[in-house]
Amino acid sequence: MAYLDLQHVSVHYPVRNTWGATGEVVRAVDDVSFSVEKGQILGLVGESGCGKSTLSRAIMQLQPVTSGRIVLQGQDLTALPAREVRKRRLDFQMVFQDPYASLNPRFSIFSTLAEALSCREKLPRSAREDAVAELMERVGLSPEHMYKYPHEFSGGQRQRIAIARAIAPRPALLLADEPVSALDVSIQSQILNLLTDLTREMGLTMIFISHDLSVVHYLSDRIVVMRRGQVVESGAADDVFFRPQAEYTRNLLAAVPRLD
C-alpha cells in the first residue's frame, strides 16, 4: 500500500462576479490520481495556474475537495472530522512559497519554533531552548539568533526557519510548495540540498512542487506533470525528463534556460 494515495481528486469552485452572482465553475483540480511511496520524493510540476498549489492545499486539508479520496497510511483524510484532521496534521506539514508571509512577524524565531515543537510534546523552558537551538542548527542557522524576528533575516534564512518549523513536529510527509521560487538563484541550491538532506536523514516522504522541470528532476524520484487541473504525464524522473511522452512536458523542457 502506498504511503499517500490520491484517488480521483477534484476541486471545483464557482467564480463570483462583482455583484456576487455565481458564474463559471473553475475546475482547479480535475480527477487527479497518483500515489507516493514511503521515503520517496515526488515532483509535481506545471505552469502557474495548473492546480499544483490547490492540490497541495487539498492534501493538507486546507482546501475542501469536491470529490475523490486522499488516503494517508490507509486512512481517508477527506472523511475525517476537523478535530481528527488537526490531530493527523502533525504527520504532514507544509513549506509555503513565501517564507515571510508564512511566518508571524510578531513572533520571535524562538516562539515560532517552540510552538511547533510543543505540538508533539510539552517541554520545560530550558528544554525548549535546547530543542530550538538543535532545530536551528539542523537547518543551518545559528542558535544565537533565536530571539530575533523574521524581518531581521534574509529570504533564504527565513525559508530555513519555515523548514525548521515544518519538521519540528517530526512529520512523515512534507509538502514543499515552490519553496525556492522567491529566493535568489545563489540561495536556491542551498535550500534544495537542505531539503534533500533532511529527507534522507529523517526518512521523510516529500512532494516537491515547482514550475521548473529541471529543479524537480534534480530532487525527485518520480515526476507528475499537471496542466489545467489534470495529470498529463507521470513516471520515473529520468523517463519524464529525458523521454517525455506528452507535448506539454516537451514544452516545459523547452522553456528551461540552457547555457548554450
Side-chain angles (χ1 to χ4, degrees):
M1 180 183 293
Y3 182 77
L4 177 70
D5 191 20
L6 274 65
Q7 303 172 5
H8 306 288
V9 174
S10 295
V11 179
H12 301 168
Y13 53 86
V15 177
R16 297 184 182 277
N17 61 25
T18 308
W19 301 276
T22 301
E24 180 185 359
V25 173
V26 174
R27 299 175 181 269
V29 177
D30 196 19
D31 196 27
V32 167
S33 297
F34 62 78
S35 59
V36 189
E37 300 297 331
K38 186 172 177 59
Q40 191 177 66
I41 300 177
L42 181 133
L44 188 60
V45 65
E47 63 190 342
S48 296
C50 74
K52 309 183 303 293
S53 294
T54 300
L55 183 60
S56 69
R57 292 177 65 84
I59 295 171
M60 285 294 299
Q61 298 298 288
L62 299 174
Q63 171 72 50
V65 302
T66 305
S67 61
R69 302 171 73 226
I70 299 173
V71 182
L72 181 69
Q73 290 182 306
Q75 187 174 40
D76 184 4
L77 298 179
T78 61
L80 294 179
R83 179 180 296 180
E84 292 302 316
V85 169
R86 284 194 292 272
K87 291 179 181 178
R88 283 306 314 266
R89 196 170 279 135
L90 293 177
D91 297 325
F92 52 100
Q93 292 289 307
M94 191 167 184
V95 179
F96 294 91
Q97 180 176 353
D98 186 346
Y100 190 69
S102 68
L103 296 171
N104 190 328
R106 296 178 180 272
F107 278 23
S108 68
I109 304 313
F110 171 80
S111 298
T112 296
L113 298 183
E115 182 181 54
L117 286 165
S118 68
C119 291
R120 183 67 74 173
E121 60 179 326
K122 303 298 181 182
L123 297 171
R125 175 78 182 190
S126 58
R128 287 205 302 270
E129 287 193 347
D130 291 341
V132 168
E134 181 181 348
L135 197 55
M136 292 183 71
E137 289 177 341
R138 193 166 202 173
V139 298
L141 293 171
S142 174
E144 67 186 27
H145 301 309
M146 70 171 65
Y147 289 105
K148 290 186 175 182
Y149 290 82
H151 71 272
E152 299 180 85
F153 294 86
S154 68
Q157 289 173 323
R158 285 197 289 263
Q159 195 60 291
R160 289 176 185 270
I161 295 165
I163 292 170
R165 181 184 59 185
I167 66 172
R170 300 191 298 275
L173 174 66
L174 186 66
L175 283 84
D177 185 7
E178 304 223 33
V180 298
S181 63
L183 305 179
D184 293 339
V185 174
S186 59
I187 304 300
Q188 289 183 4
S189 61
Q190 297 177 21
I191 299 300
L192 293 175
N193 289 332
L194 172 63
L195 287 170
T196 303
D197 292 343
L198 288 172
T199 302
R200 292 171 180 166
E201 292 170 9
M202 300 179 66
L204 293 172
T205 303
M206 183 165 71
I207 297 178
F208 182 88
I209 299 166
S210 178
H211 62 274
D212 190 333
L213 192 48
S214 62
V215 171
V216 168
H217 175 247
Y218 174 75
L219 263 93
S220 306
D221 302 303
R222 291 184 63 248
I223 294 175
V224 172
V225 183
M226 285 187 67
R227 184 190 186 210
R228 295 180 180 176
Q230 296 182 320
V231 173
V232 296
E233 184 166 358
S234 64
D238 284 346
D239 289 341
V240 173
F241 191 79
F242 293 114
R243 295 172 291 276
Q245 300 300 308
E247 180 67 24
Y248 178 70
T249 308
R250 290 193 284 270
N251 290 339
L252 285 178
L253 280 168
V256 175
R258 301 181 187 278
L259 298 176
D260 58 24

